[in-house]
Amino acid sequence: MSATAYALPSIVVFVTAALLIVVGALGVLAVRNPVHAALSLILTLFGVAVAFIAQSADFLAAVQVIVYAGAIVVIFLFVIMFLGIGRSRHDHVEPLVGQRPLAALGVAVTVGGLIALLASSHWVTGATSVSGSPLAKGTGNVRQLGTAVFTTYLYAFEATAALLVIAVVGAVVLARRERVTEEAE
Amino acid sequence: MNVPAAWYLVLAAVLFGIGAYGLLTRRSAIIMFMCVELMLNAVNLTFVTFARTLSDIGGQASVFFVMVVAAAEVTVGLGIVVAVFRRRHSTSVDELTEMKG
């Protein structure tokens, strides 16, 4: 199975997405300034969005950019600036001896084992779905995903509504707590 | 023809590994949250790859729900970080030792 069997555009798209993802992820690790780490995170999230589009997950790519790269990273930046954290002062100290080598070893074993496990068998097994193909011609990705979410996964969808309300209320309570106790005292 | 699913799966595994390494080694709670986001995105990429390969929209629906849970998690998690920072004036996880057994 040589690489030349695949269309050049798809290879270019994959390499672009992979570069965006890996560079951004390494940036999150390497950069000392949390603001720069958040910007690197945006790079990775955009790369994942590119990979989504390449695999015909159009709606998820849009949600990825709007919700992840938009809302979630903005929350991160809000918190970083609200707390006024500049350079992190704690990362150069190492209270746990050998933490980094052990972490690297554990991650290498996990990722290597995962890839070896996948490579030694068929990459993808299981029956191909007959109900809904994301690649089906004629029906858009958004229509398909919407149909699935509002029929098959309707209860899960309703549960996410409750989850989001609980999260918002929880965040407000966490942010208000100190002021409430001061008033109580 | 699109590139094989194996490429995307390996990319997702690498992304997951980078996120896991960061989660294990960094001290700042905010950076650790970002690494959790990296790991979640790696899993999302795997879901979408399998959805494409198996022609099953269920994988993409799962990603949708993972995104919702991630948004809720970030909201509450960063709320906790803010609450802790008000008390301790630090976001280093090493200094949160009250629950040491």
Side-chain angles (χ1 to χ4, degrees):
Chain A
M1 194 182 287
S2 66
T4 54
Y6 308 109
L8 185 62
S10 68
I11 294 175
V12 171
V13 168
F14 174 80
V15 171
T16 309
L19 279 177
L20 285 174
I21 290 171
V22 173
V23 169
L26 290 177
V28 173
L29 287 196
V31 171
R32 289 292 166 222
N33 190 332
V35 176
H36 295 168
L39 297 179
S40 289
L41 186 64
I42 292 182
L43 197 63
T44 295
L45 299 176
F46 262 104
V48 174
V50 171
F52 281 0
I53 289 179
Q55 306 199 76
S56 66
D58 303 345
F59 176 74
L60 291 178
V63 172
Q64 174 90 3
V65 172
I66 295 169
V67 173
Y68 255 120
I72 290 184
V73 175
V74 166
I75 292 177
F76 272 116
L77 290 174
F78 265 149
V79 170
I80 291 167
M81 293 175 180
F82 176 70
L83 300 183
I85 303 169
R87 295 169 166 278
S88 59
R89 306 175 299 271
H90 314 288
D91 278 323
H92 52 273
V93 296
E94 191 171 1
L96 294 176
V97 178
Q99 184 188 16
R100 281 161 203 268
L102 277 179
L105 182 70
V107 168
V109 167
T110 305
V111 173
L114 195 60
I115 293 174
L117 191 69
L118 285 168
S120 62
S121 60
H122 291 290
W123 285 92
V124 178
T125 59
T128 303
S129 168
V130 293
S131 57
S133 166
L135 304 172
K137 299 288 183 293
T139 56
N141 172 254
V142 179
R143 179 185 294 268
Q144 276 189 314
L145 189 56
T147 306
V149 166
F150 285 107
T151 56
T152 314
Y153 304 100
L154 181 61
Y155 290 121
F157 181 76
E158 297 293 341
T160 59
L163 177 71
L164 284 176
V165 172
I166 293 168
V168 169
V169 172
V172 170
V173 168
L174 282 170
R176 277 179 57 97
R177 180 176 290 165
E178 197 163 340
R179 195 175 299 158
V180 170
T181 52
E182 279 175 4
E183 285 171 1
E185 290 165 1
Chain B
M1 185 180 175
N2 209 335
V3 297
W7 296 16
Y8 282 104
L9 294 179
V10 171
L11 176 63
V14 169
L15 180 59
F16 188 89
I18 294 173
Y21 179 77
L23 185 69
L24 289 171
T25 54
R26 296 302 296 263
R27 295 279 189 276
S28 167
I30 292 178
I31 303 288
M32 290 173 73
F33 266 113
M34 291 184 194
C35 291
V36 170
E37 296 304 314
L38 291 182
M39 295 164 74
L40 285 170
N41 270 276
V43 175
N44 282 352
L45 186 54
T46 315
F47 266 127
V48 169
T49 305
F50 281 127
R52 193 246 304 184
T53 313
L54 298 176
S55 296
D56 192 339
I57 198 71
Q60 295 190 10
S62 301
V63 174
F64 180 75
F65 292 122
V66 170
M67 283 178 174
V68 174
V69 173
E73 170 243 334
V74 166
T75 311
V76 175
L78 290 180
I80 292 173
V81 169
V82 170
V84 168
F85 186 84
R86 280 190 179 153
R87 241 170 228 286
R88 314 294 303 268
H89 296 286
S90 167
T91 60
S92 171
V93 292
D94 279 333
E95 298 176 13
L96 303 176
T97 54
E98 283 89 352
M99 297 181 76
K100 206 178 215 173

